[in-house]
């Protein structure tokens, strides 16, 4: 996906395979899922290949993960008990922050920003969670 976002053109399976170190066979399996999820288009023929169906700033890492792996679930609802409920609330908050971070991390961001900028975005997203957990833990002691 990043290679397609960087190149902004139809990329042959051979070029994509060579530049991503993914075998053609596995690449075709991945591309089929991405095609079915309407993220990647496929054109046939001599000049055929793969291309993004949306602009890179409209495809998030979250979209790709959910399409390829399914919904992200940190935890399910607790069976019972206050301790379980407190833990569930903490993990539920974490799940929302992960969603927010991965949704804000688009292919465009990954193409144009450094890894350190992406990590800063993650830190800025998770820092309030860590602070809330520290406060909650201090209150319960």
């Amino acid at each position: 996906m990043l290679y397609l976002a960087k190149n902004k053109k139809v990329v042959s399976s051979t070029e994509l395979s060579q530049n991503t170190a993914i075998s053609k066979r596995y690449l075709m399996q991945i591309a089929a899922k991405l095609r079915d999820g309407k993220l990647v288009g496929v054109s046939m023929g001599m000049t055929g290949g793969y291309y993004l169906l949306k602009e890179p700033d409209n495809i998030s890492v979250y979209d790709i993960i959910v399409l390829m792996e399914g919904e992200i679930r940190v935890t399910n609802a607790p069976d019972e008990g206050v301790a379980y409920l407190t833990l569930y609330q903490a993990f539920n908050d974490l799940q929302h922050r992960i969603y927010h971070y991965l949704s804000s991390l688009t292919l465009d961001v990954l193409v144009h920003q450094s890894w350190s900028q992406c990590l800063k975005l993650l830190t800025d997203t998770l820092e309030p969670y860590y602070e809330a957990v520290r406060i909650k833990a201090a209150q319960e002691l």
Side-chain angles (χ1 to χ4, degrees):
M1 294 292 288
L2 281 176
Y3 191 81
L4 296 176
K6 284 180 185 179
N7 287 281
K8 297 183 180 180
K9 63 175 185 163
V10 175
V11 178
S12 72
S13 59
T14 300
E15 178 184 346
L16 197 52
S17 177
Q18 289 172 348
N19 288 289
T20 60
I22 299 173
S23 73
K24 274 188 174 182
R25 176 179 240 175
Y26 189 50
L27 183 64
M28 289 171 55
Q29 292 173 3
I30 294 169
K33 263 190 157 176
L34 294 170
R35 182 197 64 227
D36 293 345
K38 303 201 182 342
L39 294 181
V40 169
V42 180
S43 61
M44 302 298 183
M46 291 292 291
T47 59
Y50 302 103
Y51 57 93
L52 295 180
L53 288 174
K54 300 178 181 179
E55 292 298 317
D57 62 339
N58 288 325
I59 301 174
S60 72
V61 171
Y62 182 81
D63 296 332
I64 297 166
I65 290 172
V66 169
L67 179 64
M68 299 303 290
E69 302 294 333
E71 195 67 36
I72 298 171
R73 299 287 309 158
V74 174
T75 186
N76 293 323
D79 291 332
E80 58 184 63
V82 174
Y84 291 114
L85 182 58
T86 302
L87 187 59
Y88 171 74
Q89 289 169 338
F91 279 115
N92 194 44
D93 184 52
L94 176 60
Q95 181 169 325
H96 287 293
R97 291 181 191 279
I98 290 170
Y99 166 79
H100 175 73
Y101 173 68
L102 294 177
S103 294
S104 66
L105 198 58
T106 64
L107 293 181
D108 190 57
V109 168
L110 291 174
V111 167
H112 293 103
Q113 290 188 5
S114 68
W115 184 239
S116 62
Q117 290 170 312
C118 293
L119 288 176
K120 182 177 179 347
L121 179 61
L122 175 61
T123 302
D124 292 346
T125 302
L126 292 179
E127 186 57 37
Y129 167 75
Y130 291 132
E131 185 60 26
V133 169
R134 281 192 286 269
I135 291 169
K136 185 110 174 134
Q139 290 171 347
E140 290 181 3
L141 291 177

